[in-house]
Amino acid sequence: MAVAHHSGFIRGLTSLSLGRNVLRLRTFGGLWIENATVGAEAGARPRRLAVLAILAAAGPKGVTRERLLSILWPDSEPDRARHALSQTLYNLRRDVGAEVVIATAQELRLDGALITSDLADCRAAIRAGNWALVAELYEGRFLEGFYLADADEFERWVEEERGAIAGEAARAIEAGARAADRGAAVGLWRRLTVVDPLSGRFAAGYIQALVATGERADALAHAKAYEAILQRELGAEPDPAVARLVEQLREPGEGSAGTASVARRAPESLPPEAPTPSAAPPSPPPTQRTATHRRRLGLAAGIGVLAIAGLWWIRGAGPSPAAGPPVLAVGSLRDLTAADSTPLSGVLSEMLTTSLARLTDIQVVAHSRILELMSPEDASERGRAEAARRAGAGQILEGEVTMVGRDSVALALRRVNLVTGVVQRGYRVVGVDRYAVIDSLTTTIARDLRLDAPLGALADVSTRSPIAYRLYEDGLRAYLQFDPRSAHRLFRSAIQEDSTFAMATYYAWRTAAALDDPGLDSLGGRALRLASRAPDRDRLVIIAHVGMVQGDLGALAAAESLAVRYPSDPEALIRAAEVINAANPALARTAPLLNRAVAIDSAAGSRTALICRACEALGVLVSHYVWADSTAMAESTTRRWIALQPSSHAGWVALADINLAQGREGEAARALQTADSLGRPAGGPSPDDFSWQLRGDKLDLATARCNRDLPDAPAAAFREMRWWCTIALRMQGRYRDALRLARAGIVPAAPRPRSEMGIEPIQAAWLDFEMGRPLAAGLQFRRFAAEGQTRNLPPGLAARTAAWNLTLAATALSETADTSEIRVLADSVEAIGRRSLFGRDPRLHRFIRGRAWSRAGREEDAVLAYRSALVSPPFGFTRISYELGKSLMALNRPAEAIEVLRGPLHGGVDGSGLYLTRTEIHELLAVAFDAAGQRDSAATHFAIVARAWRNGDPSVSARYQAARDYPTRPRRAAPK
């Protein structure tokens, strides 16, 4: 048999020799074709295999040519992309000696009579309930090890498919394991532990199955292997379910009783895992404190004081340095030179933590993380040690600072094993001041752990001012107690003491954001410039977090480094996921990072912490699912959030928003009522808000409120209400009234101009477009783009502003007779968009090119361009979905148009819906449903349009009448 195999490369090529008529595509654990070879053009081979993989994943329904081109050639000109696809299919036919791809005018699919696939067979086995066959076929992750150079869209597609297929297979095999007899169940549970070796659920199921068949030794062996892989991959303890099983197995006198105890616990009783696109890491519990109390060992009297640094050794029962450096935390450091050492304790701990963080190849728990996990009621030495243990530290450093003579200070330190309480090592260093002893001690600990000593001094990555340190420490405590105003004042004071203090500047920026401080951009820019003066972990957090907000491309590299180098730090994982998703929304990348943060923080006991990082991670994950229009996952993740933090209102507010987006207003209102009962602050969303009413298409209520409250509203309230009232008028097709309100402040019910309010420029410019004045609109948006360059914005934000406004200008100008200018604008947007971190901006030029193709009557090319421009159906730039839907309707593909047009209705109306009204979406959806033969759905959407436009301008009267009269029209034949 000749096999062409690609797993990063293609190997084992021989001449074509078909031993049978039917070829087989293998996609699990790699990508190759059995019984075939691949032609001589090495550069094209992977792409041919990729075409087959995409078609195999699509199944019998096939893939449209536009979708295939958007995955494999998204940046090519349409003609060149189609030529490349034709050449690829030709070479593929030559390679395998058969026409394995059936091509129609619109779609491609595999010919099942000539080529089969393990993926198709696996899905057929799932449908048939043949769990054993599913386990046999699912040999590895989908396309594992297969890559295409410079193919980001393909990589995103692979990650999405891989997560979906893995979930399907795992659920099927688990169902089989639960239903099988004891002997068969062992094999199926074993297969699941191979599919996801980090899953505590699968490990527990396998252990129970082994015990049920009397294989107790094998059960303990697997538990030990599971514990080892968790330590190696996550640095975490076993899942609680596994830990309980192992404890029962190891009970004294367990024998038959212990075994029976475990065996009686059926697999059905295992705790459910949260549904995620890919397996999430287990949630390890806090290590239990042993009965042995920590031994306090004092300094030996015979040890002399060294001139610079000294080291004394007390060997305990812990591992030797050869076993690898431990995860360290800094506990309480008492300053016995001061009358009251308590205030200085935290400062010294922060200083030593910062200094140790300069060491490479070792994990040091951040000082802020310790403060997060400490109970406000227990700031004692013991409370700090408990927080360090919960943060994942294996050892803690504790000690005292004392005076030596008149001019020197000494720092005596103990490195204590947090599990056994045994002192691993003791250190004592002497120096002229606290900075000197901490620098010297850091070098000594590095030598002890066989690590490279850090370059430079502590002051290079922190501050030389003890007062600045004290203010920073107090600011952190205020920040963690949700007092941003006090925290901001303290951080600002720390900066006044030392203007080069990077972390104080970073937290001043964070609190400025919470307070809507006008100095936000200035603080952010300064934090980025000072980032090099922070330890590595903090430096990356600053660059990632501030850089994301300022659109700095450097944020992405920092985020990737955070994800790789700090896999046990919840905040690092959250910051990394936020940036990666902002730059390139891909749930397959960000969901595992966020679920890992949830697992780590949950194990640390986040319910009792000042800051619940697990809750923050779940909130971010919910927003990512909402952005991706993945409603089911958004809702299930929100319920995980609520279960983790039942006394918080935040999860219920998120659930209300998800329900509202799906039109479930009653459920949304009940969720808000629950949030109110939990102390939701006043001023948040409610059924009486404009956004709530507009998202529910309740335009009469919104209009009545505008007429009642807007004419005499104070200036600040008027400006905010005018924004919503202008959108409400536009949704009603009352463009003339909307323009008067935007330009002169004239409310339709009280035609008294409020010219002192000035113009609402964005809506006024867009109304020019909606009212048939595209040239005027285009000029306005070009002016906005130019003005953005004069506002001294950070470079990334300046690029984002320019790319966005030029795209809006091109959108308007594409309605003119001469469309040549928009090609020039597309080139400009492409060049500018690359300088923005925000994932929408580098793709906007594709939307502009799609408008040009559509105006030229090349709708297939337009569809390809629109699809490759789309980032988020509900929020990215909803007009892309609208234009894509129009092009699909022009190609008589209403079913695809329906799917595309639903997304914008799930988003808001104040941002992403600003340049497209909900009424227009309802109208086009109604037309698509009618074309698809779904008359009831069409009638529902036409009814919404008729209610909205009944008092509209003459420009929408014909469309209003068509919507109003739809129920009386003759029923059209359903499309075949």
Side-chain angles (χ1 to χ4, degrees):
M1 178 189 301
V3 177
H5 186 151
H6 183 79
S7 186
F9 58 92
I10 299 180
R11 61 184 179 180
L13 303 182
T14 65
S15 60
L16 178 64
S17 174
L18 294 177
R20 56 185 177 182
N21 291 329
V22 179
L23 305 175
R24 183 164 180 78
L25 182 69
R26 302 293 294 273
T27 65
F28 294 137
L31 180 58
W32 69 96
I33 311 172
E34 292 180 349
N35 271 5
T37 186
V38 177
E41 300 167 32
R45 295 171 187 162
R47 211 155 292 254
R48 297 173 211 167
L49 291 169
V51 168
L52 294 180
I54 294 170
L55 296 180
K61 65 181 181 181
V63 175
T64 65
R65 290 177 180 270
E66 288 82 4
R67 177 60 176 150
L68 192 61
L69 294 174
S70 70
I71 295 173
L72 292 175
W73 294 278
D75 294 319
S76 298
E77 288 292 324
D79 288 340
R80 297 183 65 180
R82 279 193 292 270
H83 176 73
L85 175 58
S86 298
Q87 191 65 34
T88 299
L89 294 176
Y90 169 79
N91 288 330
L92 184 61
R93 179 173 63 251
R94 185 191 60 191
D95 293 340
V96 302
E99 190 79 70
V100 295
V101 176
I102 297 175
T104 66
Q106 299 296 336
E107 295 177 342
L108 302 172
R109 60 184 173 86
L110 292 181
D111 187 344
L114 296 178
I115 184 168
T116 64
S117 72
D118 54 359
L119 175 56
D121 291 347
C122 184
R123 284 176 164 163
I126 291 173
R127 290 191 297 271
N130 191 340
W131 317 128
L133 182 57
V134 174
E136 178 184 340
L137 289 168
Y138 189 70
E139 296 181 324
R141 295 198 310 163
F142 180 65
L143 304 194
E144 186 168 22
F146 178 84
Y147 301 100
L148 287 182
D150 301 321
D152 293 343
E153 293 293 334
F154 178 73
E155 290 302 316
R156 280 190 285 273
W157 175 84
V158 168
E159 290 296 335
E160 292 171 1
E161 289 293 326
R162 183 178 288 158
I165 294 165
E168 293 174 20
R171 287 190 293 271
I173 299 170
E174 184 178 3
R178 293 180 182 282
D181 58 38
R182 291 184 177 183
V186 169
L188 292 172
W189 283 113
R190 182 192 299 115
R191 184 74 192 92
L192 285 169
T193 64
V194 175
V195 170
D196 185 0
L198 299 179
S199 170
R201 182 184 183 83
F202 296 162
Y206 184 37
I207 292 169
Q208 289 176 347
L210 287 169
V211 171
T213 58
E215 301 294 340
R216 179 172 160 275
D218 288 346
L220 282 170
H222 182 74
K224 185 175 180 180
Y226 170 68
E227 182 177 355
I229 194 171
L230 276 185
Q231 283 291 338
R232 183 174 70 251
E233 298 293 333
L234 301 179
E237 298 299 322
D239 185 277
V242 177
R244 286 193 297 270
L245 291 173
V246 172
E247 184 179 352
Q248 294 174 33
L249 285 169
R250 289 175 174 168
E251 285 176 354
E254 51 201 330
S256 59
T259 302
S261 153
V262 177
R264 280 196 299 271
R265 201 157 171 251
E268 286 78 2
S269 66
L270 290 173
E273 283 190 334
T276 56
S278 57
S283 304
T287 305
Q288 298 300 313
R289 186 178 295 275
T290 63
T292 304
H293 294 290
R294 193 180 306 154
R295 294 200 295 268
R296 304 291 183 187
L297 301 179
L299 293 175
I303 300 296
V305 176
L306 302 182
I308 299 177
L311 169 67
W312 53 281
W313 304 77
I314 300 178
R315 296 194 177 275
S320 66
V327 177
L328 290 179
V330 178
S332 177
L333 300 182
R334 293 180 296 158
D335 193 330
L336 301 182
T337 67
D340 182 4
S341 67
T342 302
L344 287 176
S345 174
V347 171
L348 290 170
S349 298
E350 162 69 19
M351 291 170 68
L352 182 55
T353 301
T354 302
S355 186
L356 289 172
R358 296 180 293 152
L359 299 175
T360 57
D361 301 321
I362 188 172
Q363 294 185 59
V364 181
V365 178
H367 180 65
S368 58
R369 179 63 173 158
I370 299 292
L371 294 181
E372 286 176 10
L373 294 173
M374 286 179 65
S375 169
E377 291 77 28
D378 186 7
S380 65
E381 182 177 337
R382 182 173 181 177
R384 192 176 184 92
E386 173 64 14
R389 182 186 62 75
R390 291 163 61 192
Q395 298 182 17
I396 192 168
L397 296 162
E398 298 176 336
E400 303 84 23
V401 174
T402 57
M403 290 298 300
V404 177
R406 290 185 176 182
D407 302 322
S408 299
V409 294
L411 175 55
L413 207 64
R414 299 171 294 281
R415 179 157 59 88
V416 183
N417 187 303
L418 278 168
V419 177
T420 64
V422 172
V423 175
Q424 304 293 134
R425 297 288 183 269
Y427 311 93
R428 187 171 187 268
V429 295
V430 178
V432 295
D433 59 22
R434 292 167 181 80
Y435 289 88
V437 296
I438 286 178
D439 281 335
S440 185
L441 181 62
T442 302
T443 301
T444 302
I445 292 174
R447 187 184 306 121
D448 179 21
L449 297 175
R450 302 181 182 179
L451 303 173
D452 292 334
L455 300 175
L458 167 62
D460 296 335
V461 293
S462 59
T463 175
R464 274 203 170 275
S465 168
I467 297 175
Y469 253 131
R470 173 84 69 83
L471 291 165
Y472 171 66
E473 166 88 7
D474 291 344
L476 274 181
R477 293 184 183 279
Y479 178 77
L480 294 172
Q481 292 172 5
F482 306 101
D483 185 359
R485 195 168 300 280
S486 297
H488 186 67
R489 185 179 64 253
L490 289 162
F491 292 134
R492 283 281 196 179
S493 297
I495 295 171
Q496 289 177 354
E497 291 294 329
D498 182 355
S499 61
T500 66
F501 194 174
M503 289 306 292
T505 306
Y506 168 62
Y507 274 99
W509 172 81
R510 292 187 67 168
T511 50
L515 299 171
D516 200 21
D517 190 294
L520 180 67
D521 285 345
S522 175
L523 279 169
R526 189 193 304 176
L528 286 175
R529 290 191 295 273
L530 293 173
S532 61
R533 292 185 51 83
D536 188 63
R537 179 263 189 195
D538 295 336
R539 176 182 65 83
L540 293 171
V541 166
I542 292 172
I543 295 172
H545 196 184
V546 180
M548 178 187 71
V549 174
Q550 296 198 349
D552 193 316
L553 290 172
L556 185 57
E560 297 286 2
S561 296
L562 280 173
V564 172
R565 293 163 61 179
Y566 299 96
S568 300
D569 185 328
E571 185 182 15
L573 295 171
I574 293 169
R575 298 286 87 81
E578 286 179 324
V579 175
I580 291 170
N581 191 75
N584 187 12
L587 282 166
R589 290 285 320 281
T590 60
L593 295 177
L594 293 167
N595 277 307
R596 187 187 189 105
V598 172
I600 293 169
D601 199 55
S602 298
S606 58
R607 289 172 186 249
T608 60
L610 288 170
I611 297 290
C612 177
R613 291 291 180 192
C615 306
E616 181 184 0
L618 287 170
V620 173
L621 185 54
V622 168
S623 70
H624 290 185
Y625 281 129
V626 169
W627 182 266
D629 204 22
S630 181
T631 305
M633 292 303 299
E635 184 169 350
S636 64
T637 304
T638 303
R639 294 192 183 280
R640 287 173 61 196
W641 182 6
I642 292 171
L644 181 66
Q645 203 176 29
S647 61
S648 171
H649 64 269
W652 288 100
V653 173
L655 184 61
D657 189 78
I658 292 168
N659 283 326
L660 182 61
Q662 299 301 310
R664 302 195 297 262
E665 295 182 41
E667 295 177 51
R670 286 191 291 274
L672 276 188
Q673 289 174 357
T674 304
D676 290 337
S677 70
L678 295 172
R680 180 172 71 107
S686 75
D688 295 328
D689 286 348
F690 280 117
S691 62
W692 191 289
Q693 292 167 348
L694 298 184
R695 290 172 73 182
D697 300 300
K698 294 179 171 57
L699 299 178
D700 288 343
L701 293 177
T703 302
R705 182 177 178 186
C706 291
N707 290 336
R708 181 185 70 242
D709 299 339
L710 189 56
D712 299 316
F718 182 91
R719 291 189 181 95
E720 180 179 356
M721 290 180 64
R722 175 169 64 173
W723 179 267
W724 296 103
C725 293
T726 304
I727 292 176
L729 290 169
R730 289 173 49 216
M731 287 177 64
Q732 295 172 75
R734 297 169 61 185
Y735 302 118
R736 294 176 297 187
D737 287 339
L739 186 61
R740 283 193 288 268
L741 178 58
R743 289 195 180 278
I746 297 176
V747 182
R752 173 175 58 88
R754 295 191 60 174
S755 54
E756 77 278 9
M757 294 295 103
I759 295 175
E760 172 33 66
I762 295 175
Q763 297 223 44
W766 194 253
L767 277 160
D768 278 334
F769 170 69
E770 289 176 318
M771 298 176 73
R773 296 188 291 270
L775 280 174
L779 288 174
Q780 288 279 18
F781 286 114
R782 277 192 148 179
R783 182 170 61 82
F784 296 158
E787 289 174 351
Q789 304 304 305
T790 66
R791 288 166 50 196
N792 198 28
L793 294 172
L797 290 185
R800 179 173 178 176
T801 300
W804 177 242
N805 281 293
L806 289 177
T807 298
L808 296 177
T811 304
L813 294 173
S814 66
E815 294 297 322
T816 64
D818 181 10
T819 60
S820 59
E821 189 176 4
I822 69 170
R823 299 185 187 277
V824 177
L825 284 171
D827 292 339
S828 297
V829 170
E830 182 175 10
I832 296 170
R834 291 197 189 106
R835 303 200 295 267
S836 168
L837 175 73
F838 190 41
R840 176 201 65 192
D841 300 332
R843 300 186 185 194
L844 284 173
H845 73 96
R846 301 175 186 172
F847 167 73
I848 301 173
R849 300 186 198 283
R851 293 292 296 130
W853 295 131
S854 180
R855 294 285 292 173
R858 298 173 59 174
E859 298 293 359
E860 290 187 1
D861 293 335
V863 166
L864 176 60
Y866 292 145
R867 286 195 188 278
S868 64
L870 193 60
V871 174
S872 168
F875 294 104
F877 178 27
T878 50
R879 195 154 196 97
I880 300 175
S881 297
Y882 183 69
E883 299 295 345
L884 174 56
K886 287 168 62 177
S887 291
L888 289 169
M889 289 300 297
L891 294 170
N892 195 28
R893 288 150 63 178
E896 292 180 61
I898 291 168
E899 191 63 31
V900 165
L901 292 168
R902 282 173 167 155
L905 292 178
H906 299 157
V909 292
D910 57 329
S912 62
L914 174 63
Y915 305 99
L916 175 70
T917 66
R918 287 177 58 91
T919 311
E920 292 172 280
I921 283 285
H922 283 301
E923 181 192 34
L924 190 54
L925 258 175
V927 173
F929 274 120
D930 180 59
Q934 300 181 48
R935 189 172 176 84
D936 290 344
S937 295
T940 298
H941 288 280
F942 271 132
I944 295 172
V945 175
R947 286 195 301 272
W949 281 348
R950 65 180 183 274
N951 296 316
D953 291 355
S955 61
V956 299
S957 61
R959 295 158 69 184
Y960 158 69
Q961 291 173 11
R964 183 198 60 189
D965 298 340
Y966 178 76
T968 63
R969 288 188 215 163
R971 184 180 296 272
R972 62 183 291 172
K976 296 182 180 179

